[in-house]
Amino acid sequence: MSDMLQRIIQSIEKAKEANAVLRVGPELEITGYGCLDHFLETDLYDQAWEVLADIIDSPSCQDILLDIGMPVIHRSVYYNCRVICRNRKILLLRPKMALCQDGNFREGRYFTAWQRPQEYEDHDLPDVIRSLTGQTKVTFGDAVVQTPDVSIGAESCEELFTPDAPHVHMGLDGVEIFTNSSGSHHELRKLSRRIKLIIEATEKSGGVYLYSNQQGCDGDRLYYDGCAMIVVNGEIKAQGSQFSLSDVEVITATIDLDDVQKARYAPSRREQAVRREGAKYHRIELGDKLTSSNLVQAYHHPPTTTQEPKLVCPEEEIALGPACWLWDYLRRSRQSGFFLPLSGGIDSCSTAVIVFSMCREVMKDVQASNEQVIEDVRRVCGQDEKWLPKSPQDICNRIFHTCFMGTSNSSADTRGRAKELADAVGAYHTALEMDPVVSAFVTLFKMVSGGLGLRYKVHGGSQTENLALQNLQARSRMIVSYLLASTLLPLVRGQSSRGGLLVLGSANVDESLRGYLTKYDCSSADLNPIGGISKTDLKRFIAWAEQEFQLPVLASFLDAVPTAELEPTTENYTQSDEADMGCTYAELSDFGRLRKVQRLGPYGQFGKLLALWAGRMTPRQICEKVVFLNRMYGVNRHKMTTITPSYHAEQYSPEDNRFDLRPFLYPPLTWAYEKMKRVVEGIESGGKGQKGVE
């Protein structure tokens, strides 16, 4: 928590330098949002109070109203709280009232929601706070802070997304400023919804909305994508970055509270406020004013002008989100770089380009004199305190290692593309032949099988032999990857003082959904930046990066047919990913969204696809495809139990860690399949004489 303490104090100092009178931090900022089961440890709560004491006692944290996030145990119940304080006094502990429990979130595992609107009670403060503030008790519950000039209420993250959000009731009770402290992670195309809800929070009934969010990798598969905002009456006054390498970012705005009163003039709003039933909010009095009526001061600090929301396209999200996640992971793991098996296909190409994007972002911050990034890049690259990189390629060459692991099944095209891309981004590239390794295993099999050989299917072998030979190549590459990751820097490049390399994987979300990967092959790695991204989005990303990053070589990856190159190519046969999978990547995306996002089982998927795929397939073909996709998902589900930690980016990710919790031993889904078949028979017969058609 020492780093958290320093960053929180730094953010307060930056806010005061900008003449701010109210500072709002992200959710659970003292401990970090991603503590997971550490939130079950009482030590964590004691230490959070100790950090809070250091914050409110710091001379640089006085004369500003602070909204700080931390976990609190109240009457033996664990809560996710906001702590409102000023000048060494705690004013309010406001517990979260709606917990986030879907997708990657499991807040109910650790915390309890405060389900008593507008109710409050006393909380006994720990000794470390009592000795500092002289307080023994503080208000705990759903209350607001009242100064002589403004009312301030807090809500947390998920509460904004609920139909009956607290800011609605607070606004009707006269609260002008709403703070929201969040732990919201990045997901492709998600930010627009978040911005829309923040704008709507004050658009209808007026008010000031201050939104603060975590930013960066908090120790697992998620990247919290910042984008702090200040919104007045539905208009954006300030917006922070969505992706950043900086540890601390502060945005500020000057607002005129009279604008809130003017926005609340509407008769319908006034009538609802007057006839509002139920308890009123308890107001905790703070004697200090937060605003100034001095016109001279107002002249020098006019209200901040409105700006348009800043949104990046999904392709740029892919370029920046995983890149920032990789940088956070690299610098915090104290490793010396990355190793990537670069096959010449679009998946490993995408991973390589994301690493290059990371190096571009690092270079930008170096040029902007970001001291933290400069210190980190020197340490990661093993350089002294005077060294500065000259280009993104300069950074890449020191930390990014690629290897083309070819066999007799590999083509000259893929070999050439891998080398050309590595040269373009500046990676340290090697190439080797895996045939001797594969041959050694085949020889070993002959010894233990009494002389049996293994042949590819195109050479007359069985399907069992064919798969065994493909898996042998894939798994051998994983072993060699880890060998090279641990030896390249100290032994080959002569940099014995530097640590090892993190191995990167390149299985996309669609292939994981279908199970089109070998367990413990090159998909088994330390990290996978594209594991939550669809093939369709990756292609769009590479097309975008070709222009934005000035990498002409990427055009050749887009034109290439996706292939694993694990079988021999003959005059009549060339291996193809989509042919092997028995479906297209577009079909997998449709299946994934129906299964996870729309929460449909096989029968529900079939009903939707009858309309979605009409004209492309007959009802019987659609039925057969749905049965096939669900069967493949079930048969290969066990692979997700060992899948490499992947950057979360897609709503239909099958990642088994905590996002997509399902069995890995599936029975046949006979009941649903039989219902689908009856529907098909009814359609084909025109509905005559069929029972059970729905």
Side-chain angles (χ1 to χ4, degrees):
M1 294 185 190
S2 299
D3 289 342
M4 298 295 191
L5 171 64
Q6 294 173 7
R7 291 166 187 163
I8 292 170
I9 292 178
Q10 184 182 351
S11 73
I12 295 170
E13 291 171 344
K14 285 188 173 185
K16 291 183 67 176
E17 288 172 5
N19 297 313
V21 295
L22 169 61
R23 178 266 184 197
V24 182
E27 188 173 9
L28 295 168
E29 59 179 316
I30 284 181
T31 58
Y33 186 87
C35 291
L36 303 178
D37 276 6
H38 289 291
F39 283 125
L40 302 176
E41 301 167 1
T42 56
D43 290 8
L44 189 75
Y45 295 77
D46 296 336
Q47 293 161 16
W49 281 113
E50 293 165 3
V51 173
L52 179 67
D54 284 351
I55 294 170
I56 62 178
D57 192 40
S58 171
S60 58
C61 298
Q62 309 307 309
D63 300 319
I64 184 170
L65 186 62
L66 303 175
D67 182 345
I68 297 171
M70 62 177 269
V72 173
I73 300 176
H74 173 68
R75 300 187 180 180
S76 301
V77 180
Y78 294 27
Y79 292 97
N80 175 350
C81 287
R82 307 304 309 163
V83 182
I84 314 299
C85 49
R86 177 178 165 88
N87 289 345
R88 296 187 176 89
K89 296 290 182 184
I90 297 177
L91 304 173
L92 171 66
L93 298 179
R94 200 281 192 176
K96 193 170 184 178
M97 300 178 68
L99 303 181
C100 192
Q101 310 239 54
D102 60 352
N104 286 295
F105 297 101
R106 296 289 182 274
E107 290 181 358
R109 181 178 174 92
Y110 322 111
F111 304 119
T112 299
W114 181 259
Q115 298 179 342
R116 295 157 55 188
Q118 285 104 53
E119 292 188 27
Y120 61 95
E121 54 197 31
D122 287 337
H123 176 81
D124 293 318
L125 290 167
D127 290 341
V128 68
I129 299 296
R130 293 186 183 200
S131 62
L132 174 64
T133 68
Q135 300 169 280
T136 59
K137 299 180 184 296
V138 69
T139 300
F140 183 101
D142 188 20
V144 300
V145 173
Q146 179 70 58
T147 74
D149 49 359
V150 66
S151 295
I152 302 165
E155 64 181 12
S156 293
C157 196
E158 179 70 9
E159 295 169 17
L160 170 67
F161 293 80
T162 59
D164 193 23
H167 68 260
V168 175
H169 303 282
M170 288 191 288
L172 290 174
D173 201 20
V175 174
E176 292 101 344
I177 296 178
F178 315 107
T179 66
N180 185 308
S181 304
S182 182
S184 185
H185 63 75
H186 174 241
E187 204 169 74
L188 290 175
R189 305 171 180 88
K190 176 183 174 183
L191 180 60
S192 58
R193 179 177 176 234
R194 193 193 304 161
I195 291 177
K196 181 180 178 182
L197 287 171
I198 294 171
I199 290 174
E200 287 178 349
T202 60
E203 192 171 36
K204 286 193 288 187
S205 60
V208 179
Y209 206 94
L210 308 180
Y211 176 83
S212 176
N213 188 25
Q214 296 273 5
Q215 188 169 61
C217 168
D218 202 10
D220 61 7
R221 296 158 173 80
L222 308 180
Y223 179 83
Y224 299 91
D225 59 339
C227 197
M229 297 184 71
I230 300 174
V231 176
V232 180
N233 300 334
E235 296 181 343
I236 298 175
K237 301 299 180 180
Q239 180 180 345
S241 64
Q242 185 179 10
F243 308 105
S244 173
L245 302 186
S246 297
D247 286 338
V248 177
E249 180 180 74
V250 175
I251 63 167
T252 59
T254 302
I255 61 173
D256 186 346
L257 283 176
D258 286 345
D259 292 339
V260 175
Q261 301 305 323
K262 295 170 188 174
R264 290 180 171 177
Y265 175 77
S268 58
R269 187 262 168 200
R270 285 181 285 153
E271 290 169 2
Q272 287 187 347
V274 169
R275 69 170 181 261
R276 180 173 173 270
E277 298 178 356
K280 302 293 184 181
Y281 281 89
H282 173 60
R283 280 168 158 74
I284 299 165
E285 299 291 336
L286 175 64
D288 301 321
K289 291 182 65 175
L290 298 186
T291 63
S292 171
S293 57
N294 188 315
L295 290 180
V296 174
Q297 189 174 4
Y299 174 80
H300 291 291
H301 299 282
T304 305
T305 57
T306 299
Q307 65 180 57
E308 293 297 315
K310 293 179 288 188
L311 289 165
V312 301
C313 64
E315 293 79 11
E316 191 169 359
E317 287 186 81
I318 295 172
L320 297 178
C324 292
W325 180 72
L326 284 177
W327 178 247
D328 266 358
Y329 201 102
L330 178 60
R331 69 191 183 108
R332 290 172 58 186
S333 67
R334 317 295 288 189
Q335 297 302 298
S336 297
F338 299 114
F339 178 88
L340 172 69
L342 188 58
S343 69
I346 201 163
D347 290 333
S348 61
C349 162
S350 298
T351 297
V353 174
I354 286 171
V355 174
F356 181 61
S357 177
M358 180 199 79
C359 294
R360 284 169 53 91
E361 294 305 302
V362 171
M363 192 67 211
K364 288 177 185 176
D365 275 46
V366 169
Q367 293 171 337
S369 301
N370 185 322
E371 294 181 3
Q372 182 63 59
V373 172
I374 291 173
E375 178 184 336
D376 288 335
V377 75
R378 284 171 175 163
R379 176 178 52 79
V380 170
C381 293
Q383 300 299 310
D384 60 33
E385 61 183 15
K386 295 182 180 180
W387 176 82
L388 288 174
K390 299 179 178 63
S391 66
Q393 285 83 354
D394 187 15
I395 301 172
C396 256
N397 185 258
R398 298 172 190 275
I399 68 172
F400 189 33
H401 302 72
T402 59
C403 180
F404 181 83
M405 301 182 186
T407 69
S408 57
N409 300 322
S410 304
S411 68
D413 289 340
T414 53
R415 187 186 303 270
R417 281 198 301 270
K419 175 68 164 62
E420 192 175 351
L421 175 59
D423 290 345
V425 302
Y428 181 89
H429 185 69
T430 56
L432 54 84
E433 296 298 326
M434 295 292 297
D435 289 328
V437 178
V438 176
S439 296
F441 278 108
V442 171
T443 300
L444 178 64
F445 176 75
K446 284 184 178 180
M447 291 171 57
V448 300
S449 65
L452 292 177
L454 293 173
R455 294 178 299 168
Y456 290 103
K457 195 172 182 179
V458 294
H459 296 155
S462 65
Q463 181 67 9
T464 299
E465 293 173 77
N466 199 55
L467 284 176
L469 285 168
Q470 292 185 68
N471 290 338
L472 182 55
Q473 295 170 70
R475 291 189 174 114
S476 298
R477 286 169 174 157
M478 185 272 288
I479 296 171
V480 173
S481 292
Y482 276 95
L483 171 66
L484 295 178
S486 63
T487 57
L488 270 177
L489 275 175
L491 299 183
V492 179
R493 301 190 71 180
Q495 299 176 28
S496 57
S497 62
R498 298 177 66 189
L501 305 174
L502 295 166
V503 178
L504 298 180
S506 299
N508 63 62
V509 72
D510 295 321
E511 291 170 349
S512 294
L513 182 66
R514 165 60 177 78
Y516 185 62
L517 53 91
T518 299
K519 207 171 185 179
Y520 304 116
D521 68 348
C522 278
S523 65
S524 296
D526 295 311
L527 298 170
N528 182 357
I530 70 165
I533 305 174
S534 72
K535 190 80 162 189
T536 302
D537 280 335
L538 288 175
K539 288 182 177 179
R540 291 171 179 161
F541 162 61
I542 292 301
W544 175 89
E546 178 192 357
Q547 303 299 322
E548 293 294 324
F549 294 171
Q550 298 181 0
L551 296 173
V553 63
L554 297 183
S556 61
F557 286 85
L558 290 169
D559 296 335
V561 175
T563 174
E565 289 195 334
L566 294 173
E567 295 181 78
T569 298
T570 68
E571 185 177 334
N572 301 317
Y573 177 76
T574 299
Q575 189 176 21
S576 162
D577 288 354
E578 291 188 335
D580 282 354
M581 291 191 299
C583 57
T584 66
Y585 284 105
E587 290 167 356
L588 277 171
S589 292
D590 289 341
F591 168 63
R593 290 190 175 91
L594 291 174
R595 181 195 66 89
K596 180 67 177 176
V597 183
Q598 297 193 29
R599 304 179 182 89
L600 295 174
Y603 186 74
Q605 297 161 16
F606 172 64
K608 291 287 186 181
L609 291 173
L610 282 174
L612 186 61
W613 289 353
R616 284 188 277 166
M617 299 184 200
T618 66
R620 182 169 294 278
Q621 289 172 327
I622 293 172
C623 176
E624 292 170 351
K625 184 73 72 171
V626 171
V627 171
F628 172 77
L629 290 172
N630 279 278
R631 186 169 64 85
M632 289 297 100
Y633 173 82
V635 167
N636 291 289
R637 179 63 185 169
H638 66 96
K639 296 179 181 178
M640 292 299 99
T641 63
T642 61
I643 199 68
T644 295
S646 302
Y647 179 91
H648 177 82
E650 182 55 71
Q651 292 183 70
Y652 68 84
S653 169
E655 182 266 308
D656 185 62
N657 176 258
R658 74 172 188 262
F659 183 71
D660 190 35
L661 304 181
R662 300 171 193 255
F664 55 86
L665 178 60
Y666 268 84
L669 306 178
T670 310
W671 189 277
Y673 297 162
E674 289 300 321
K675 286 183 67 176
M676 291 159 53
K677 290 176 183 177
R678 290 198 296 270
V679 172
V680 171
E681 291 167 359
I683 293 174
E684 291 178 342
S685 66
K688 298 177 181 179
Q690 295 296 323
K691 296 181 180 180
V693 177
E694 301 178 7

